[in-house]
Amino acid sequence: MSTLVIVESPTKARTIRNFLPSTYRVEASMGHVRDLPSSAEEIPEAVKGEKWAQLGVNVEADFEPLYVIPKDKKKIVKELKDALKDATELILATDEDREGESISWHLLQILKPKVPIKRMVFHEITREAIRDALTHCRDIDNRVVQAQETRRILDRLVGYTLSPLLWKKIAWGLSAGRVQSVAVRLLVRRERERRAFRQGSYWDLKALLTPPTPPLGKGGQGGAFDAKLVTVGNVKVANGSDFDENTGQIIAGRRVLLLNEEQARALLSRIQNKPWTVGNIEERPVTRKPSPPFTTSTLQQEANRKLRLGARETMRIAQSLYERGFITYMRTDSVHLSEQAIAAARSCVQELYGSEYLSPQPRKYTTKSKGAQEAHEAIRPAGSTFRTPQQTGLDGIDFRLYDLIWKRTVASQMADSRQTHVTVLTQVEDAGFRSSGKRIDFPGFLRAYVEGSDDPNAALEDQEVILPALKVGDKPNCKDLEAVGHETQPPARYTEASLVKMLESEGVGRPSTYASIIGTIVDRGYAKLIANALIPTFTAFAVTTLLETHFPDLVDTGFTSRMEQTLDEIATGEAKWLPYLQKFYTGETGLATQVKEQESQIDAKVARTVVLENISAKVCIGKFGAYLESESEEGLVKASIPQDLTPADLDPEQVEFLLKQKTEGPEKLGLHPETGEPIYVLIGSYGPYVQLGEVSETNKKPKRASLPKGTDKDSVTLDMAVSLLTLPRLLGSHPETGAKVQANLGMYGPYVVHDQGKVGKDYRSIKPPDDVLTIELDRALELLSQPKAARGRSKSATPLKELGAHPESGELINVYDGRYGPYVKHGDINASLSKDESVENFTLQKALDLLAAKEAAGGGKSSSKSKKSTKTAAAKSETATEKTAAKKTTAKKTTTATKKTTAKKTATATTAKKTTKSS
C-alpha cells in the first residue's frame, strides 16, 4: 500500500519522484481531466436535446456547468482510479494557483476517494521544498475553486454568445473573448492612430566641439563632444514632441521656432566660424535602484525584448525550467522574495561581486496590485542556494532564460547605481546649443543586470557619455557644423512585450493568461506577428468596429478591469458569484439580452465593411479574405487585397492599381524575347508576381513567378521578369551523382536543390549576396556541401502541451512549436495544427484524427512499432516461402507500393486539406 500523489505533467512527476520515499507513487493528470464540452460530440446523450447543452452552462439552473471528461482523458482517469485502489492516502499536488486548485477539485469529484485526502502546495520543485510541503498540507480552498469556476463560466458565456453572432454577420470561424477582444481592440486603436498620423518635418543644427585646450594626461577627461541646437534668440527650437500627430503641424499654443531646410542652412552660414562660449554647466547626481524580481508579465516583457521570445514560448520554456527544478513557479503576480531567497541572492552578490556591491540592507519588495492572487514569490532560481547559470548544465534558450532570471534576482539585492548627469549649454551669437553627458560613479546592480542588454559590462560602457572638463566662459572649438533634417514617426505598433505591459497596466486579464491570449489572437487571424510587431488584420478592424458599436462595454478596458476585480473578490469571499453572473448575463442590460436586441439591428453587409480614411473603395471581409469593392461605369468591381498588406499600409495608389488590374487588365512589361508573348506584372492574394501570356480557354494556367521578397513591383524590369520565368533554373549535373542541380524560388525564399529522384531531394537556402537568378553550379555545389541547418526541434524539445499516450503504440503524443507553427508528432509522422486551432484547446482525439489523416495522405513514415511489425511479417513470410518466390513477391510489393505512394503524393494536398477540415 502506498500514498498516491497526483500532479499535472509527466515532467513534474518525474522530478518529484526523486524527492519522495519509495512508498509514494507519483502520477500525472495531464492537466485538466474535466471541462465544459468543446464540441457537440462531447455533450452527453441525456442532455443533448436541451437548449443550453451547446453552451455547456445551464443558465436557468443557477448557471450550473456541464462538465465532461474528454475522450483523450478517459484513459488517464481510468489509470488514476486504478492507482487509487492500491493507495491508503491521496495527495493532490497541483500548482498553487486558481487553475491548479481547480484541477485538484475536479480530480476529487471524479475519483471520489475513500481514503484520506491532502492538498499539498509548493512553488519550487526541490528536495527541501517538497519535503517541507508534505508536512504542511491543507484542504482544497473552495473559494478559489469557485472564483476559477466563475471565470470559466464567464469566459464561456462571452465566447459562445458573441462568436456565433460574428459568424453570421462577418465570417465563419471568428471568435470573441472577454480579454481577447479587448486586446484586439488595443491593436486596432493603435493601427487607426497610425493611419490618422500625419508626418511633420523639422530641421536643426548639430555641432562637433572640442575643448579650448587639449585634455591633459593619458587621454584626459574627454575629447570631442556633440552639441545640438535648442534655442535661437531665446526661443525654443521645435522638435518631434512639439508636433500634433493628427495634423503634422505644431501643436496649437506652442511657442517654438520651426526651422525648415533653408532657414537651418542660413543659420549655419551665419554662425559658421563665429566664437563659441560655455554659458552654463549643470551636474545632477542620480541614484537608480534595481528592478524587482520577475513576475509573469515582466518576464514575458523582458524575454521578448532581450531574447526575442514570444509570450507563449517564454511560458513554455519557464514551465519546463520549473518542472525540472531550476526555477520557482512561473505564474505569479508577486514580486516578494522569501527570507531564504534573499539570503541566497545576497550570498551570490558577496561571492561574485564583493561586499561593496551588496545593498546595505536586504531589499524587500511588495506587490502593489490588489489582484496579485498567485501569491507565492517572484520568479527566481529554485533552492536555498542559487546555481549560477554555468552550474546548471543547461544550454541554448533554456540557459538564456535561466540566466535572465538569475541575473534579475541577484541584481535585486545589489547596491544602487550612482550616476552624474551633466548638461553643458554653449552659445554662438544668438543660437544656444546643449550637450548632455552621463558619468557612472558606481555601477552597483548594473554590474549584473542591465535591462535590454545581454552584456552588462558592454552596456555600462554604452551608457556613459563622458564630456571633457569645461568651465563657464571657456571657448570650445567648432570642428564641424551641419544642418540635420528630421521627420516625425507614427506611434509604434505593439510588440508582445508592450501589449503585455499595456494589458497589465489596464488591469485586463491576468498575466498567467497573456501568452495564450496573444497566441489565440495570432492563430485566429486577428493579427500577424511581423518583425516582432503585432499588426492587426482587416478582420480585426471589422470585428472591433462591430463590438465597439453594439457592445461597447465588452471591449472597454475599464469595464473588463472591473470584471477582474470582481472575480478576485469572489476568490476572497468579498463578492458572491451567482448574483454577479445573473446580472452580467441575464439582467436587463445583460449580455444575452443585448445580443437578442442587437442582432436584428446589425446589417451583415455593413459589419463586413471596413471604413478607412482616404480610401474611396470599400474594404470588405469575404470568405477568402479581404477584398476591395468599387462602383465603375462597367458595374461593381472586386479585387483581392494581398494577404501581407495591412490596413495601415493600404493607400490610394495601391487601391487604384488593384482595381485597375481588374478593369483594364494587368500592367504589361513587354514581350518575351523568344516566344513573343506579353509579360505582365500583377498583384495577387500572396503578393506581386509576373505572368507569361494571358489567361484564356487554351491557356488556363499561364506560367507565373513570384517576385523575390522585398522586390517592389515598380522596380521589375523586362529582363528580370524573363529571368524569373525561367525558374527553376537548371544549373548542371552533380559531379558525384549525375543528378540535376537547380535554383528556384519557394514559399520561404530562394534555394538550390540536388534532385536525386526517388532517392530524395537535398535543399539549401540561397542567402545574399548570392542571387537565385545568377548563381552558378560551382557556388550551388559549395552550398550543398555545407551541413544542413537543423529544422524544427530535437526529439528532446519541451512540448507546448502533453496530450497523452497513443492508444496503439503507447508513445506519448505532444504538441510542439515548430518552424511553421504548432504540430503534433507520433513516430516519424508530423502533422501541423490548422491556423484556427488553439493549442490550449487541442485534445488527444483531435491529434489522433490529424495524424491518421496525414498518414492516410501519405505524409511521413510509419511509426517505429509499425516498422517492427512489418519486418517481423516479412521475416515470417520469407521463412515460409521459397527464396525465388519471396524475391518476386518482394519486387511486386515494392512496385505496388511505389505506385501507391506516387498516387498518394499526388492527392496529398487535397486529401490532407479535406481530412483536416473534417476532423
Side-chain angles (χ1 to χ4, degrees):
M1 303 300 276
S2 64
T3 297
L4 175 62
V5 180
I6 301 179
V7 297
E8 296 96 330
S9 76
T11 305
K12 192 174 175 183
R14 283 193 295 272
T15 309
I16 289 175
R17 281 190 197 110
N18 297 327
F19 307 136
L20 294 175
S22 58
T23 53
Y24 285 77
R25 178 177 175 179
V26 187
E27 296 294 340
S29 70
M30 308 298 289
H32 275 284
V33 288
R34 253 189 358 170
D35 199 1
L36 302 175
S38 61
S39 63
E41 64 180 18
E42 287 188 352
I43 299 172
E45 287 294 334
V47 295
K48 265 196 173 172
E50 302 290 343
K51 290 182 180 179
W52 55 267
Q54 291 285 350
L55 187 61
V57 179
N58 191 346
V59 175
E60 295 175 1
D62 291 342
F63 293 88
E64 182 183 353
L66 173 64
Y67 289 122
V68 296
I69 301 173
K71 280 185 181 178
D72 61 312
K73 291 298 174 74
K74 287 183 177 177
K75 184 180 178 183
I76 293 165
V77 169
K78 184 181 181 303
E79 289 171 352
L80 292 176
K81 285 183 176 180
D82 290 342
L84 188 58
K85 289 175 184 176
D86 299 326
T88 55
E89 184 181 45
L90 172 63
I91 295 180
L92 300 168
T94 52
D95 293 333
E96 192 186 10
D97 58 9
R98 290 190 184 115
E99 201 76 18
E101 206 72 16
S102 178
I103 291 172
S104 282
W105 180 79
H106 280 290
L107 284 167
L108 205 58
Q109 305 304 307
I110 291 173
L111 299 178
K112 296 181 173 59
K114 296 178 182 178
V115 297
I117 306 149
K118 291 180 181 177
R119 173 79 170 103
M120 184 171 87
V121 293
F122 45 86
H123 77 283
E124 60 180 335
I125 306 177
T126 60
R127 185 180 302 278
E128 185 180 358
I130 298 302
R131 293 293 177 90
D132 181 65
L134 273 176
T135 62
H136 295 89
C137 290
R138 60 168 173 80
D139 294 328
I140 288 176
D141 190 331
N142 287 314
R143 289 190 305 190
V144 173
V145 172
Q146 189 69 74
Q148 177 59 26
E149 191 170 44
T150 307
R151 185 181 292 271
R152 183 73 184 95
I153 292 170
L154 193 63
D155 288 340
R156 173 58 68 100
L157 294 175
V158 173
Y160 274 47
T161 304
L162 283 179
S163 296
L165 183 66
L166 299 180
W167 303 344
K168 293 177 189 175
K169 303 299 182 180
I170 298 179
W172 174 259
L174 296 178
S175 67
R178 183 175 60 87
V179 180
Q180 170 197 316
S181 297
V182 177
V184 171
R185 187 194 184 204
L186 288 172
L187 300 182
V188 170
R189 283 171 62 182
R190 179 58 55 85
E191 207 72 0
R192 287 172 180 161
E193 290 169 2
R194 288 175 63 86
R195 280 198 65 83
F197 172 79
R198 296 294 175 264
Q199 196 172 66
S201 61
Y202 60 96
W203 284 73
D204 58 22
L205 303 183
K206 182 181 176 183
L208 180 66
L209 307 178
T210 58
T213 54
L216 299 173
K218 210 170 184 180
Q221 295 183 36
F225 60 101
D226 291 329
K228 181 182 175 183
L229 178 71
V230 288
T231 60
V232 175
N234 293 322
V235 178
K236 178 181 177 291
V237 173
N239 59 34
S241 64
D242 296 311
F243 284 82
D244 185 331
E245 293 181 344
N246 297 315
T247 64
Q249 304 299 315
I250 296 295
I251 297 170
R254 290 278 173 96
R255 186 176 176 271
V256 291
L257 174 63
L258 176 61
L259 295 177
N260 58 30
E261 182 177 5
E262 185 181 350
Q263 291 169 324
R265 295 195 184 282
L267 176 63
L268 185 150
S269 299
R270 180 161 64 84
I271 64 174
Q272 189 89 46
N273 301 320
K274 295 295 170 64
W276 292 66
T277 306
V278 175
N280 187 38
I281 299 175
E282 180 186 329
E283 291 198 0
R284 182 168 52 91
V286 175
T287 300
R288 279 185 59 191
K289 296 182 181 299
S291 299
F294 281 129
T295 61
T296 301
S297 67
T298 54
L299 176 64
Q300 290 173 4
Q301 291 169 48
E302 192 70 345
N304 185 253
R305 282 194 294 261
K306 280 191 174 185
L307 308 181
R308 286 290 184 252
L309 289 176
R312 189 155 55 180
E313 181 77 346
T314 298
M315 294 309 292
R316 181 189 68 77
I317 298 164
Q319 174 103 25
S320 170
L321 292 174
Y322 163 67
E323 291 181 348
R324 288 182 286 162
F326 289 106
I327 64 171
T328 54
Y329 192 50
M330 67 291 156
R331 291 189 179 93
T332 174
D333 293 345
S334 174
V335 292
H336 169 70
L337 286 178
S338 66
E339 295 295 335
Q340 180 191 65
I342 290 173
R346 293 180 71 81
S347 175
C348 285
V349 176
Q350 179 78 49
E351 185 178 338
L352 296 173
Y353 303 102
S355 56
E356 64 176 325
Y357 280 91
L358 262 178
S359 62
Q361 299 296 326
R363 294 186 189 271
K364 296 186 178 182
Y365 298 90
T366 55
T367 306
K368 295 178 183 177
S369 169
K370 181 186 176 185
Q373 54 85 30
E374 328 283 359
H376 335 290
E377 280 191 80
I379 304 170
R380 63 168 176 84
S384 55
T385 57
F386 294 167
R387 285 173 283 185
T388 64
Q390 292 72 24
Q391 291 171 336
T392 59
L394 294 168
D395 58 13
I397 197 62
D398 288 354
F399 174 89
R400 295 185 69 193
L401 191 67
Y402 179 86
D403 182 61
L404 199 64
I405 294 166
W406 183 90
K407 283 178 178 174
R408 176 91 163 212
T409 310
V410 169
S412 73
Q413 293 302 314
M414 293 179 72
D416 294 344
S417 166
R418 298 193 302 275
Q419 306 171 4
T420 300
H421 290 194
V422 183
T423 302
V424 176
L425 296 177
T426 49
Q427 196 77 19
V428 50
E429 292 206 329
D430 62 342
F433 286 73
R434 178 190 291 128
S435 303
S436 299
K438 182 167 70 173
R439 183 174 68 245
I440 297 178
D441 303 312
F442 176 66
F445 71 91
L446 295 175
R447 181 60 67 198
Y449 182 84
V450 179
E451 284 197 45
S453 172
D454 287 331
D455 184 352
N457 289 326
L460 286 175
E461 291 177 13
D462 292 342
Q463 285 194 357
E464 280 200 313
V465 180
I466 303 297
L467 295 177
L470 296 166
K471 59 181 183 296
V472 174
D474 277 353
K475 305 285 186 183
N477 303 306
C478 181
K479 292 295 184 184
D480 187 35
L481 184 62
E482 60 176 332
V484 183
H486 307 272
E487 291 179 336
T488 57
Q489 297 301 311
R493 286 178 172 129
Y494 283 105
T495 62
E496 290 197 38
S498 58
L499 181 59
V500 164
K501 186 175 182 179
M502 174 61 79
L503 289 170
E504 186 179 37
S505 67
E506 294 288 339
V508 175
R510 279 288 162 261
S512 57
T513 65
Y514 292 157
S516 62
I517 288 164
I518 292 173
T520 300
I521 288 170
V522 175
D523 294 343
R524 297 286 182 187
Y526 287 122
K528 293 183 178 182
L529 189 58
I530 301 174
N532 207 36
L534 287 163
I535 305 175
T537 61
F538 291 100
T539 302
F541 269 68
V543 169
T544 297
T545 301
L546 184 150
L547 294 177
E548 284 176 330
T549 306
H550 299 279
F551 308 97
D553 279 352
L554 290 178
V555 285
D556 178 67
T557 52
F559 179 79
T560 310
S561 176
R562 289 192 294 275
M563 290 171 71
E564 289 294 347
Q565 290 174 17
T566 304
L567 291 168
D568 290 337
E569 287 164 2
I570 292 169
T572 59
E574 298 172 60
K576 301 295 182 183
W577 68 276
L578 184 56
Y580 178 69
L581 285 178
Q582 288 170 335
K583 181 182 177 183
F584 173 80
Y585 194 70
T586 56
E588 288 184 12
T589 58
L591 180 61
T593 310
Q594 288 186 52
V595 171
K596 193 173 181 180
E597 291 174 352
Q598 295 288 331
E599 185 170 351
S600 60
Q601 299 177 27
I602 300 173
D603 185 326
K605 179 63 178 174
V606 173
R608 294 190 186 107
T609 304
V610 178
V611 178
L612 299 174
E613 306 83 2
N614 303 326
I615 302 296
S616 56
K618 291 180 181 177
V619 177
C620 303
I621 307 299
K623 187 177 180 181
F624 303 106
Y627 65 93
L628 294 169
E629 190 176 276
S630 179
E631 290 286 349
S632 71
E633 294 177 359
E634 300 172 0
L636 192 65
V637 181
K638 296 181 180 180
S640 295
I641 297 175
Q643 292 186 4
D644 61 348
L645 196 62
T646 64
D649 299 324
L650 185 66
D651 56 37
E653 290 75 22
Q654 290 165 321
V655 170
E656 184 184 357
F657 181 87
L658 291 168
L659 293 173
K660 186 178 177 182
Q661 183 176 285
K662 277 285 182 179
T663 55
E664 301 178 14
E667 181 183 331
K668 184 177 174 181
L669 271 178
L671 301 178
H672 195 284
E674 295 176 10
T675 67
E677 292 177 278
I679 296 177
Y680 302 102
V681 180
L682 301 98
I683 295 181
S685 297
Y686 299 99
Y689 62 94
V690 292
Q691 175 180 298
L692 180 62
E694 296 181 9
V695 178
S696 64
E697 283 297 319
T698 56
N699 187 25
K700 292 183 178 180
K701 291 186 177 180
K703 186 172 178 60
R704 293 170 176 171
S706 296
L707 300 190
K709 193 173 182 181
T711 303
D712 186 77
K713 64 177 180 59
D714 296 327
S715 65
V716 179
T717 62
L718 180 61
D719 289 342
M720 181 190 292
V722 171
S723 298
L724 286 169
L725 290 165
T726 63
L727 297 176
R729 291 174 57 222
L730 178 63
L731 305 181
S733 300
H734 198 287
E736 296 176 9
T737 64
K740 60 185 178 183
V741 176
Q742 294 177 308
N744 202 0
L745 266 175
M747 186 176 181
Y748 303 104
Y751 64 88
V752 291
V753 57
H754 176 204
D755 186 354
Q756 298 183 69
K758 294 178 183 178
V759 175
K761 296 180 180 180
D762 190 19
Y763 296 88
R764 295 293 185 280
S765 294
I766 297 175
K767 305 288 185 187
D770 291 320
D771 188 327
V772 67
L773 300 178
T774 58
I775 193 169
E776 299 294 340
L777 179 62
D778 288 346
R779 177 57 180 157
L781 294 174
E782 188 180 334
L783 291 176
L784 290 164
S785 67
Q786 295 172 2
K788 185 177 284 189
R791 296 181 65 182
R793 299 191 176 276
S794 64
K795 290 182 181 178
S796 61
T798 305
L800 293 176
K801 185 177 182 182
E802 295 165 327
L803 300 175
H806 193 285
E808 295 175 8
S809 68
E811 292 180 28
L812 280 178
I813 295 182
N814 301 320
V815 182
Y816 294 93
D817 190 13
R819 182 178 177 185
Y820 309 121
Y823 68 95
V824 288
K825 180 179 178 65
H826 176 239
D828 289 329
I829 300 176
N830 292 352
S832 296
L833 275 64
S834 61
K835 287 184 179 179
D836 60 351
E837 185 66 69
S838 165
V839 173
E840 287 71 27
N841 298 327
F842 200 66
T843 63
L844 178 62
Q845 187 56 51
K846 289 181 181 178
L848 295 173
D849 292 342
L850 196 60
L851 290 163
K854 185 70 179 283
E855 190 169 14
K861 302 172 186 176
S862 57
S863 66
S864 54
K865 185 175 181 180
S866 302
K867 288 179 184 176
K868 191 175 180 182
S869 304
T870 306
K871 287 181 181 178
T872 307
K876 286 180 181 177
S877 174
E878 195 164 341
T879 307
T881 316
E882 298 259 337
K883 281 186 179 180
T884 308
K887 285 179 182 176
K888 286 181 180 177
T889 305
T890 306
K892 189 175 180 182
K893 281 182 179 177
T894 306
T895 308
T896 306
T898 305
K899 287 179 181 176
K900 283 182 179 177
T901 304
T902 308
K904 281 179 182 177
K905 282 181 179 176
T906 309
T908 294
T910 308
T911 310
K913 188 175 179 182
K914 287 180 180 176
T915 314
T916 305
K917 217 177 249 186
S918 159
S919 67

